[in-house]
Amino acid sequence: MIRFNNDYSCGAHPQILKALEDTNTESYGGYGLDIWCEKAAAEIKKYLDCPQAEVHFLIGGTQANFTVISAALRPYQSVICADSGHIHVHETGAVEHCGHKIQALPNTDGKITAAQIAEEAELYRTSGVKEHITQPKLVYLSFPTEYGTIYSKQELEEIGTVCRNYGLFLFIDGARLGYGLGSVKADVTIADIARISDVFYCGGTKCGALFGEAVVFTNPELCVDFRSYIKQNGAMLAKGWLLGLQFYTLFKDGLYFEITKRADEYAMQIKQAFAEKSIPSYIESFTNQQFVVLENSMLKKLDDKYVYEYEQKIDETHSCVRFCTSWSTKEEEVQELIRDIRQL
Amino acid sequence: MIRFNNDYSCGAHPQILKALEDTNTESYGGYGLDIWCEKAAAEIKKYLDCPQAEVHFLIGGTQANFTVISAALRPYQSVICADSGHIHVHETGAVEHCGHKIQALPNTDGKITAAQIAEEAELYRTSGVKEHITQPKLVYLSFPTEYGTIYSKQELEEIGTVCRNYGLFLFIDGARLGYGLGSVKADVTIADIARISDVFYCGGTKCGALFGEAVVFTNPELCVDFRSYIKQNGAMLAKGWLLGLQFYTLFKDGLYFEITKRADEYAMQIKQAFAEKSIPSYIESFTNQQFVVLENSMLKKLDDKYVYEYEQKIDETHSCVRFCTSWSTKEEEVQELIRDIRQL
Amino acid sequence: MIRFNNDYSCGAHPQILKALEDTNTESYGGYGLDIWCEKAAAEIKKYLDCPQAEVHFLIGGTQANFTVISAALRPYQSVICADSGHIHVHETGAVEHCGHKIQALPNTDGKITAAQIAEEAELYRTSGVKEHITQPKLVYLSFPTEYGTIYSKQELEEIGTVCRNYGLFLFIDGARLGYGLGSVKADVTIADIARISDVFYCGGTKCGALFGEAVVFTNPELCVDFRSYIKQNGAMLAKGWLLGLQFYTLFKDGLYFEITKRADEYAMQIKQAFAEKSIPSYIESFTNQQFVVLENSMLKKLDDKYVYEYEQKIDETHSCVRFCTSWSTKEEEVQELIRDIRQL
Amino acid sequence: MIRFNNDYSCGAHPQILKALEDTNTESYGGYGLDIWCEKAAAEIKKYLDCPQAEVHFLIGGTQANFTVISAALRPYQSVICADSGHIHVHETGAVEHCGHKIQALPNTDGKITAAQIAEEAELYRTSGVKEHITQPKLVYLSFPTEYGTIYSKQELEEIGTVCRNYGLFLFIDGARLGYGLGSVKADVTIADIARISDVFYCGGTKCGALFGEAVVFTNPELCVDFRSYIKQNGAMLAKGWLLGLQFYTLFKDGLYFEITKRADEYAMQIKQAFAEKSIPSYIESFTNQQFVVLENSMLKKLDDKYVYEYEQKIDETHSCVRFCTSWSTKEEEVQELIRDIRQL
């Protein structure tokens, strides 16, 4: 079977495994206080224009999301996000478990707008009963979104402006950051992401690492004693250098950007193949996740050879499914899929 | 000024103040373990057909809501309610502060339907990724709703059936229970409420008491060690007999039902006065809260003499406002308002 | 039966009940935004030398404790208190329920010292593994303590100095503040309490009110958006003026200080009666709570006429019990008890 | 430098790295639903006599501790543990952050007794004010303890009996389980641990894995929907097979027991070398952690060649330090240390 079902079903990029082997008998300080974490942070910061940035390495996305939010908010403050946001729909209420309300706004293709955020913030600002409602204090975006779509530079700038105007923190979930930045449609760099947001993370789990998310704080106010939050939330890996080592490997020569960009290119080829057969996209994505609407009879033909993710029934004869490329996808797998699409 | 702005702006029914005076120099056991709480519980239970019911007296509505929910749910379980529900929009995220997600469903006139609840529960039941989402486990309704509307017996029965089928607890917020039961349109009794729900409360704060909410558990599973939850959540009044005494006074001869029913009747007279002037209701309510859409010029005429609650701008020349009667509203106040409405 | 078992078993001072009656048919703004809360705050502030002080009225002590602590601390910060502190032993883990660890220090007669606090703070300051332990950030004291003892001015000043040096907030639980200030041994005033602490409260529940605690913030940093915390924690009384009215009555002519001081004087007379019979104190208290060690045979003689609180067995023939006077204790009750003590 | 400072400063056992390489290009289901987790659970269960046991793989110890406790307790319930327990002193208040109080009992060599637990449970059972205190509901032990000491079979049986009698869950933290079971003094097997406790874990992080803890529930009541707790607490690894694969490798041929037992043997040789020089133990440990009291002048001699953990100053000329062996310690390292000890 050839797998296009998700971007976290294989181990790690060979260079990462090799780095693990090379250092396996070495001894390092525990809990993220080691030379590899230091070096990894330095490599990541080379891509930013933000000398004061502080980098912390956590293990997974859900963990990174609620740990950052727990550190950023006071008990009566809430999070604004899209109603399709990962923290709202796929994290078992982890943010609420930390005590915070999520104010979910209707998404358009997985995104929310500066205007929507401003409206929500203005509602609070002008409320006569502030103490009866939660105070929106942090905006959570994903880049790319759950649907593979990305914010344009202008959209992000506008959101950043609204956040500054209303005193909101901007937190960008970059679980798939590489795939977002590598998109042909992307007009932002990681330095833009860093400049516009207060905190964001570079996902490792889905972008070549065994696991790990590099959380980058550009707003120093947000990361006071952040290591205490990491520990309290069970997100401090005893052998923290395993995280540093992986991110060092991914960032030192731009491997992170290279392997995700290639996955995006494969996805574009698949997208085009579907388009040529007039098979419609469910959502127009220019990153590694492609949501398409196929006849069920077509799916049957693909079932023998390919694994994809079933999303939802569209009607009696059509379904929406996701084909997802990743850093581990091989060119021949893509070519084979394209051939088979052409023969549908 | 004549006040129709809300139902919690006056002290208590004179009988309650008298009871406080009569007992003021007496000594009682603390923390709700006293003869008045016992007697009050017995009086309330006379109206129910539920010998196993357990009654606890808390101080306020928000407190009652999150204390019950905190006792009912495990950390990964969530609450289903209308998106207009008080816990969702006016309690500063208290339920989330206790760690629980609220799954807010679109309301129709402040209500949700059995079908909506079933759909949400079915989504969880059939989900292939249950561990990534919260488990809906409790349905929160208000009777009457924030908009003064009430559920019919059939609607409640249907909701009760869905709850039983899916193993959901049904919790009915009765902050204004008296006004709901006293409505000309109500076809349920307090015994029906008790039979259909797992837990509900009879609001005292808005129905003649200085403060206090009588929480009635009909499902014994839900109230194990509930006094521990009361104390932990700061809801245990040291001089608990003050609550018992008030509820005893309200329930012993049906005063609770009588004074709220009269307020409903006054509201119906006001409703009719508006109708006769072709001033439209914003929502059709048959309880003590009347939401009407008035010309701003009309409001100006009323402003000198009446206090009402401004709700929202409808258009350049119209506004939605609330006129609210209560147990303390006097007949002459209502007659005066009606006269003035007629002259608008 | 004559009751000396506690100071919260009677209603309210007659002036308070009268004030409730006098205003019962008046209408006021809800949720603590009313003229009586304003006036009460002004009266309390007359006793302080702290123009920037902010006063909020909550309903009970447990509630006041965890609401203040919830507002003061970030998730990884902890509370230092005596191991006999009310929040540690009698509030059903309410502080932990809000997410905060309590670092309980061994008490001496219910008190802890500046040196103990400094040691704990220094341990954190010099720790090489700060992120693995909680950061002590708030010191919780009771004045008087659970055992009726009081801190001297010098002790409080020393504690205040340590708190400032280490950046700790000082929070003084004054559930029985009046009895502490009214003690013959007290060398502090309420203005001293306000000056030395960051936040404290004047207990009403045990000092003449039906219920209510007046929380006074002298450190503005601590009370940002405190009304949001009040609401979120279910501590906002809908008819908030009931609190304001009671505290206005207690403070406007010094009634609060007068009635608690008298209770202390009665307690001193009882203390002396025991001493004259060579009945030992369990702890030397100079406030309204007297802990004495009596022969069980003596207790039997008192049992017919008096209610006291049993504390613990001392040996086969002796027990420690508490005799507690209050604002409602009558002179003749005290005289009768003294006569009976003399005849033991 | 030769490192004896801790047991988590090296990568993983070579067999584990090899397994990671061998499977690196394979695809597996995400979130712990994969063949390796299944196989690992089966291997672990071969050592138990408990067919109903349920095994879950988490990433780290702090995470495992609070996730299990969060799943086991209701909000008003508390944890009993030694005052030296890891959850009490080194996890940044993670258990309290989840809302639960810890009732810390004085330890003797890192351990608590059945009698101490019974006393605490009895205090609650016989309390007349249960609702004012937390209900102890779970006992947390470490095997071995923070000090390297271990409970005997009889001690564990007695604790197990007390737990059953009082309805307490018994949770054994086995972060170093292998080193405990491998001790010459151990008279319990992993099957005993499973039989006596309700839930325990086999630590991987310190026993040969890169990371990972295998949580074993033997009491089915405790693990209802446990995967929801794992996800909510950020403890669900996307590539869960990395955990399964490691534990499969460790348990399939007893590697886990073999490598930790050898580390214990090395520790015994070091212990003897110290004893022969009349260098006293700080605590008598028969596992991989040796706490000894050395003259500072001796430490200076060792400093050039060895890394150990400094624990505390004993007096002006003596210090307590820890020498810790691990699965990665080599025989020649041990021999060299012994030679150098002999020459002190």
Side-chain angles (χ1 to χ4, degrees):
Chain A
M1 299 292 286
I2 303 177
R3 290 186 161 262
F4 289 101
N5 55 325
N6 65 44
D7 38 17
Y8 49 85
S9 61
C10 270
H13 190 278
Q15 288 189 35
I16 281 182
L17 263 208
K18 184 164 184 313
L20 290 177
E21 282 164 57
D22 289 350
T23 58
N24 192 45
T25 57
E26 299 294 316
S27 268
Y28 301 106
Y31 305 115
L33 300 173
D34 63 84
I35 186 69
W36 292 114
C37 285
E38 259 179 58
K39 289 171 76 159
E43 290 298 331
I44 291 172
K45 288 177 67 174
K46 281 183 190 166
Y47 293 93
L48 318 179
D49 186 23
C50 184
Q52 86 279 14
E54 200 175 303
V55 184
H56 294 273
F57 300 99
L58 278 72
I59 302 159
T62 294
Q63 192 180 76
N65 287 334
F66 71 72
T67 303
V68 167
I69 288 169
S70 179
L73 301 188
R74 312 293 307 215
Y76 67 101
Q77 296 175 332
S78 46
V79 178
I80 290 176
C81 81
D83 57 5
S84 54
H86 204 262
I87 55 169
H88 188 55
V89 297
H90 275 111
E91 301 189 356
T92 326
V95 169
E96 289 88 351
H97 183 53
C98 285
H100 301 289
K101 193 177 191 74
I102 293 175
Q103 300 177 248
L105 306 181
N107 80 88
T108 305
D109 294 347
K111 301 194 289 182
I112 51 174
T113 66
Q116 282 178 291
I117 296 166
E119 189 187 344
E120 202 72 10
E122 186 67 16
L123 263 177
Y124 182 79
R125 199 187 65 80
T126 58
S127 169
V129 289
K130 278 196 179 58
E131 56 268 45
H132 298 255
I133 57 180
T134 57
Q135 181 186 58
K137 184 65 186 173
L138 180 146
V139 173
Y140 165 95
L141 304 180
S142 300
F143 186 93
T145 68
E146 296 299 299
Y147 297 133
T149 54
I150 54 175
Y151 288 88
S152 71
K153 193 171 186 169
Q154 189 183 331
E155 286 169 336
L156 286 179
E157 298 277 18
E158 287 170 6
I159 289 172
T161 300
V162 165
C163 286
R164 275 189 303 281
N165 288 349
Y166 284 99
L168 305 172
F169 299 122
L170 179 56
F171 174 28
I172 299 181
D173 171 338
R176 292 189 169 97
L177 187 66
Y179 302 113
L181 297 172
S183 167
V184 287
K185 295 285 186 181
D187 61 356
V188 294
T189 63
I190 189 170
D192 293 324
I193 297 282
R195 177 176 48 80
I196 298 171
S197 71
D198 295 281
V199 52
F200 72 99
Y201 60 94
C202 310
T205 304
K206 291 170 177 162
C207 301
L210 286 174
F211 57 88
E213 316 292 311
V215 179
V216 182
F217 288 94
T218 57
N219 181 345
E221 177 189 347
L222 263 183
C223 57
V224 176
D225 292 331
F226 190 65
R227 284 179 52 79
S228 296
Y229 291 99
I230 298 179
K231 180 64 183 169
Q232 183 176 65
N233 288 290
M236 187 170 278
L237 197 65
K239 304 183 183 178
W241 70 86
L242 299 175
L243 291 161
L245 190 63
Q246 293 185 83
F247 277 96
Y248 175 74
T249 306
L250 287 171
F251 277 82
K252 76 165 182 292
D253 298 316
L255 184 64
Y256 185 79
F257 303 104
E258 179 195 312
I259 61 180
T260 48
K261 190 183 174 73
R262 195 178 55 225
D264 283 342
E265 289 163 358
Y266 290 157
M268 290 307 95
Q269 295 171 24
I270 295 168
K271 182 184 177 72
Q272 197 184 339
F274 280 124
E276 286 169 2
K277 292 290 287 188
S278 299
I279 291 167
S281 290
Y282 180 73
I283 255 180
E284 282 302 332
S285 156
F286 294 90
T287 62
N288 70 317
Q289 302 180 76
Q290 293 300 316
F291 298 85
V292 283
V293 177
L294 284 170
E295 289 176 27
N296 295 341
S297 58
M298 290 174 169
L299 284 177
K300 250 188 204 152
K301 287 181 195 162
L302 297 170
D303 278 353
D304 290 343
K305 211 191 282 182
Y306 302 98
V307 188
Y308 50 83
E309 192 177 270
Y310 186 87
E311 296 293 323
Q312 55 175 305
K313 177 178 163 177
I314 298 296
D315 61 30
E316 289 312 310
T317 55
H318 293 81
S319 297
C320 172
V321 301
R322 180 180 77 168
F323 282 83
C324 185
T325 62
S326 89
W327 59 272
S328 65
T329 302
K330 294 193 192 68
E331 174 144 33
E332 55 268 29
E333 295 172 334
V334 175
Q335 294 315 321
E336 192 155 347
L337 174 59
I338 290 172
R339 271 196 303 277
D340 286 328
I341 291 172
R342 287 181 181 150
Q343 286 168 19
L344 282 176
Chain B
M1 299 293 286
I2 302 176
R3 289 185 161 262
F4 289 101
N5 55 326
N6 65 44
D7 36 18
Y8 49 86
S9 62
C10 270
H13 191 278
Q15 288 188 34
I16 281 182
L17 263 209
K18 183 164 185 311
L20 290 177
E21 283 164 57
D22 290 350
T23 58
N24 191 46
T25 57
E26 298 296 316
S27 270
Y28 300 106
Y31 305 114
L33 300 173
D34 63 84
I35 186 69
W36 292 113
C37 285
E38 258 179 59
K39 290 170 77 159
E43 289 298 331
I44 291 172
K45 288 176 67 174
K46 281 184 188 164
Y47 293 93
L48 318 179
D49 185 24
C50 184
Q52 87 278 14
E54 200 175 302
V55 185
H56 294 274
F57 299 99
L58 279 72
I59 302 159
T62 294
Q63 192 179 77
N65 287 335
F66 72 70
T67 303
V68 166
I69 288 169
S70 180
L73 300 188
R74 312 294 306 216
Y76 67 101
Q77 296 176 331
S78 47
V79 178
I80 290 176
C81 80
D83 56 4
S84 54
H86 204 261
I87 56 168
H88 188 55
V89 297
H90 275 112
E91 301 189 356
T92 327
V95 169
E96 289 89 353
H97 183 53
C98 285
H100 301 289
K101 193 178 190 73
I102 293 175
Q103 300 178 248
L105 306 182
N107 79 87
T108 305
D109 294 347
K111 301 193 289 182
I112 51 174
T113 65
Q116 283 178 291
I117 297 165
E119 189 187 344
E120 203 73 8
E122 186 66 15
L123 264 178
Y124 182 78
R125 198 186 66 78
T126 58
S127 169
V129 290
K130 280 195 177 60
E131 57 267 44
H132 298 254
I133 57 179
T134 56
Q135 181 187 58
K137 184 66 185 172
L138 180 146
V139 173
Y140 165 94
L141 304 180
S142 300
F143 186 93
T145 70
E146 296 299 300
Y147 297 133
T149 54
I150 54 174
Y151 288 88
S152 70
K153 193 170 185 171
Q154 190 184 330
E155 287 170 334
L156 286 179
E157 298 276 18
E158 286 169 7
I159 288 173
T161 300
V162 165
C163 286
R164 275 189 305 278
N165 287 349
Y166 285 99
L168 306 170
F169 299 122
L170 179 56
F171 174 28
I172 299 181
D173 171 338
R176 291 190 170 97
L177 187 66
Y179 302 113
L181 296 173
S183 167
V184 288
K185 295 285 186 181
D187 62 356
V188 294
T189 62
I190 190 170
D192 293 324
I193 297 282
R195 177 176 49 79
I196 297 171
S197 71
D198 295 281
V199 51
F200 72 99
Y201 60 94
C202 311
T205 305
K206 291 170 177 163
C207 301
L210 286 173
F211 57 87
E213 316 292 311
V215 179
V216 182
F217 288 94
T218 57
N219 181 345
E221 178 190 346
L222 264 183
C223 57
V224 176
D225 291 332
F226 189 66
R227 283 179 52 81
S228 297
Y229 291 98
I230 298 178
K231 179 65 183 169
Q232 183 177 64
N233 287 291
M236 187 171 277
L237 196 65
K239 304 182 184 177
W241 71 85
L242 298 175
L243 291 161
L245 190 63
Q246 292 184 84
F247 278 95
Y248 175 74
T249 305
L250 287 171
F251 277 82
K252 77 166 183 289
D253 298 315
L255 183 64
Y256 185 79
F257 303 104
E258 178 194 315
I259 62 180
T260 47
K261 190 182 172 75
R262 195 178 55 224
D264 282 342
E265 289 163 358
Y266 290 157
M268 289 307 96
Q269 295 171 26
I270 294 168
K271 181 184 177 71
Q272 196 183 341
F274 280 123
E276 286 168 3
K277 292 288 288 189
S278 299
I279 290 166
S281 290
Y282 180 74
I283 255 180
E284 282 302 333
S285 155
F286 294 91
T287 63
N288 70 317
Q289 301 179 76
Q290 293 300 315
F291 298 84
V292 283
V293 177
L294 283 170
E295 288 177 28
N296 296 340
S297 57
M298 289 173 168
L299 285 177
K300 247 186 208 158
K301 287 181 194 160
L302 296 170
D303 278 353
D304 290 344
K305 209 192 283 183
Y306 302 98
V307 188
Y308 49 83
E309 192 177 88
Y310 185 87
E311 296 294 322
Q312 55 175 306
K313 179 180 162 177
I314 297 297
D315 60 32
E316 289 311 309
T317 55
H318 292 79
S319 297
C320 172
V321 301
R322 180 181 76 169
F323 283 83
C324 185
T325 62
S326 89
W327 59 272
S328 65
T329 302
K330 293 192 192 71
E331 173 143 34
E332 55 268 28
E333 295 172 333
V334 176
Q335 293 316 320
E336 191 155 348
L337 173 60
I338 290 172
R339 271 195 304 278
D340 287 328
I341 291 172
R342 288 184 180 149
Q343 287 167 20
L344 283 176
Chain C
M1 298 294 285
I2 303 176
R3 291 186 160 262
F4 288 101
N5 55 326
N6 66 43
D7 38 17
Y8 49 86
S9 62
C10 271
H13 191 278
Q15 288 188 35
I16 282 181
L17 263 209
K18 183 166 184 312
L20 290 177
E21 282 164 57
D22 289 350
T23 58
N24 191 47
T25 55
E26 299 295 315
S27 269
Y28 300 106
Y31 305 114
L33 300 173
D34 62 84
I35 186 69
W36 292 112
C37 285
E38 260 180 57
K39 289 170 77 159
E43 289 299 331
I44 291 172
K45 289 177 66 174
K46 281 184 189 166
Y47 293 92
L48 318 179
D49 186 24
C50 184
Q52 86 278 15
E54 200 174 303
V55 185
H56 294 274
F57 300 99
L58 279 71
I59 302 159
T62 294
Q63 191 180 78
N65 288 334
F66 72 72
T67 303
V68 166
I69 289 170
S70 179
L73 301 187
R74 311 294 306 216
Y76 67 102
Q77 297 175 332
S78 46
V79 179
I80 290 176
C81 80
D83 56 4
S84 54
H86 204 262
I87 56 168
H88 188 55
V89 297
H90 275 112
E91 301 188 355
T92 326
V95 169
E96 290 89 353
H97 184 53
C98 284
H100 301 288
K101 193 176 190 73
I102 293 174
Q103 299 177 249
L105 307 181
N107 79 88
T108 305
D109 294 348
K111 300 194 290 181
I112 51 174
T113 66
Q116 283 178 291
I117 296 165
E119 190 188 343
E120 202 73 9
E122 187 66 16
L123 264 177
Y124 182 79
R125 198 187 65 78
T126 59
S127 169
V129 289
K130 278 195 178 61
E131 57 268 45
H132 298 253
I133 56 180
T134 56
Q135 182 188 59
K137 185 65 186 172
L138 180 145
V139 174
Y140 165 95
L141 305 180
S142 299
F143 185 93
T145 70
E146 297 299 301
Y147 297 133
T149 54
I150 54 175
Y151 289 88
S152 71
K153 193 170 184 169
Q154 191 183 329
E155 288 170 334
L156 286 179
E157 298 276 18
E158 286 170 6
I159 289 173
T161 300
V162 165
C163 286
R164 274 188 306 279
N165 288 349
Y166 285 98
L168 305 171
F169 299 123
L170 179 56
F171 173 28
I172 300 181
D173 172 338
R176 290 189 170 98
L177 188 65
Y179 302 113
L181 296 172
S183 167
V184 287
K185 296 285 186 181
D187 63 355
V188 294
T189 62
I190 190 170
D192 292 324
I193 296 283
R195 177 176 49 80
I196 299 170
S197 70
D198 294 282
V199 52
F200 73 99
Y201 59 93
C202 310
T205 305
K206 291 170 177 163
C207 301
L210 286 173
F211 57 88
E213 317 291 310
V215 179
V216 182
F217 289 94
T218 57
N219 181 344
E221 177 190 345
L222 264 183
C223 57
V224 176
D225 292 332
F226 189 66
R227 284 179 52 79
S228 296
Y229 291 98
I230 298 179
K231 179 63 184 170
Q232 183 177 65
N233 288 290
M236 187 170 277
L237 196 65
K239 303 182 184 177
W241 70 86
L242 298 175
L243 291 161
L245 189 63
Q246 292 184 82
F247 277 96
Y248 175 74
T249 305
L250 287 171
F251 277 82
K252 75 164 183 292
D253 298 315
L255 183 65
Y256 186 79
F257 302 105
E258 178 194 314
I259 61 180
T260 48
K261 190 182 172 74
R262 194 178 56 224
D264 283 342
E265 290 164 357
Y266 290 156
M268 289 307 95
Q269 295 171 25
I270 295 168
K271 181 184 177 69
Q272 197 183 338
F274 279 124
E276 287 169 1
K277 293 288 286 187
S278 299
I279 290 167
S281 289
Y282 180 74
I283 255 180
E284 282 302 332
S285 157
F286 295 90
T287 61
N288 70 316
Q289 302 178 76
Q290 293 300 315
F291 297 84
V292 284
V293 177
L294 284 170
E295 289 176 28
N296 295 340
S297 58
M298 289 174 169
L299 285 177
K300 249 185 206 156
K301 286 181 195 161
L302 296 170
D303 278 355
D304 289 344
K305 210 191 281 182
Y306 302 97
V307 188
Y308 50 82
E309 192 177 89
Y310 186 86
E311 297 293 322
Q312 55 175 305
K313 178 179 163 176
I314 297 296
D315 60 30
E316 289 310 310
T317 55
H318 292 81
S319 297
C320 172
V321 301
R322 181 181 76 169
F323 282 83
C324 185
T325 62
S326 89
W327 60 273
S328 65
T329 302
K330 294 191 192 70
E331 174 143 33
E332 55 268 28
E333 295 172 334
V334 176
Q335 293 315 321
E336 190 154 348
L337 174 60
I338 290 173
R339 272 195 303 277
D340 286 329
I341 291 172
R342 287 182 180 151
Q343 288 168 18
L344 282 176
Chain D
M1 298 295 285
I2 303 178
R3 290 186 161 262
F4 289 101
N5 56 326
N6 65 44
D7 38 17
Y8 50 86
S9 62
C10 270
H13 191 278
Q15 287 189 35
I16 282 181
L17 264 209
K18 183 163 184 313
L20 291 176
E21 282 164 56
D22 290 349
T23 58
N24 191 46
T25 57
E26 298 295 315
S27 269
Y28 301 106
Y31 305 114
L33 300 173
D34 63 84
I35 185 70
W36 292 113
C37 286
E38 259 179 59
K39 289 171 76 159
E43 289 299 330
I44 291 172
K45 288 177 66 173
K46 282 184 189 165
Y47 293 93
L48 317 179
D49 185 23
C50 185
Q52 86 279 15
E54 199 174 304
V55 185
H56 294 274
F57 300 98
L58 279 71
I59 301 159
T62 294
Q63 191 179 78
N65 288 334
F66 71 71
T67 303
V68 166
I69 288 169
S70 179
L73 301 188
R74 312 293 308 216
Y76 67 102
Q77 296 176 331
S78 46
V79 178
I80 290 175
C81 80
D83 56 4
S84 53
H86 204 260
I87 55 168
H88 188 56
V89 297
H90 275 112
E91 301 189 356
T92 326
V95 169
E96 290 89 353
H97 184 53
C98 285
H100 300 288
K101 192 177 192 75
I102 293 176
Q103 299 177 248
L105 306 182
N107 80 87
T108 304
D109 295 346
K111 301 193 289 182
I112 50 174
T113 65
Q116 282 178 291
I117 297 165
E119 189 187 343
E120 202 74 8
E122 186 66 16
L123 264 177
Y124 182 78
R125 198 187 65 79
T126 58
S127 169
V129 289
K130 279 196 179 59
E131 57 267 46
H132 297 255
I133 56 180
T134 56
Q135 182 188 58
K137 184 66 185 172
L138 180 145
V139 173
Y140 165 94
L141 304 180
S142 299
F143 186 92
T145 69
E146 296 299 300
Y147 296 133
T149 54
I150 53 174
Y151 288 88
S152 70
K153 193 169 184 171
Q154 190 183 330
E155 288 170 334
L156 286 179
E157 298 277 18
E158 286 169 6
I159 289 172
T161 300
V162 165
C163 287
R164 274 189 304 280
N165 288 348
Y166 285 98
L168 306 171
F169 299 122
L170 180 56
F171 173 28
I172 299 181
D173 172 338
R176 292 188 168 98
L177 187 66
Y179 302 113
L181 296 173
S183 167
V184 288
K185 296 285 187 181
D187 62 355
V188 294
T189 62
I190 189 170
D192 292 324
I193 297 282
R195 177 175 49 81
I196 297 171
S197 70
D198 295 282
V199 51
F200 72 100
Y201 61 93
C202 311
T205 305
K206 291 170 177 163
C207 301
L210 287 173
F211 57 86
E213 317 291 312
V215 179
V216 182
F217 289 93
T218 57
N219 181 345
E221 177 189 347
L222 264 183
C223 57
V224 176
D225 291 332
F226 189 66
R227 283 178 54 78
S228 296
Y229 291 98
I230 299 178
K231 180 63 184 168
Q232 183 177 64
N233 287 291
M236 187 170 277
L237 196 66
K239 303 181 184 179
W241 70 86
L242 299 174
L243 291 161
L245 190 62
Q246 293 185 82
F247 277 96
Y248 175 74
T249 305
L250 287 171
F251 277 83
K252 76 166 182 291
D253 298 316
L255 184 64
Y256 185 79
F257 302 105
E258 178 195 314
I259 61 180
T260 48
K261 189 182 173 74
R262 196 178 55 225
D264 283 342
E265 289 164 357
Y266 290 157
M268 288 307 94
Q269 295 172 24
I270 295 168
K271 180 183 178 73
Q272 197 183 339
F274 280 124
E276 285 168 4
K277 292 288 287 186
S278 299
I279 290 168
S281 289
Y282 180 73
I283 256 179
E284 283 302 333
S285 156
F286 295 90
T287 62
N288 71 316
Q289 302 180 77
Q290 293 300 315
F291 298 85
V292 284
V293 177
L294 284 170
E295 289 177 26
N296 296 340
S297 58
M298 290 175 170
L299 285 177
K300 248 186 206 154
K301 288 182 194 160
L302 296 171
D303 278 354
D304 289 344
K305 210 191 282 182
Y306 302 98
V307 189
Y308 50 82
E309 192 177 89
Y310 186 87
E311 296 293 323
Q312 55 175 306
K313 178 178 163 177
I314 298 296
D315 60 31
E316 288 312 310
T317 55
H318 293 80
S319 297
C320 173
V321 301
R322 181 181 75 169
F323 282 84
C324 185
T325 61
S326 89
W327 60 272
S328 65
T329 302
K330 293 192 193 68
E331 172 142 36
E332 55 268 29
E333 296 172 334
V334 175
Q335 293 315 320
E336 191 154 348
L337 174 59
I338 289 172
R339 272 195 303 278
D340 287 329
I341 291 171
R342 287 184 181 149
Q343 287 168 20
L344 282 176

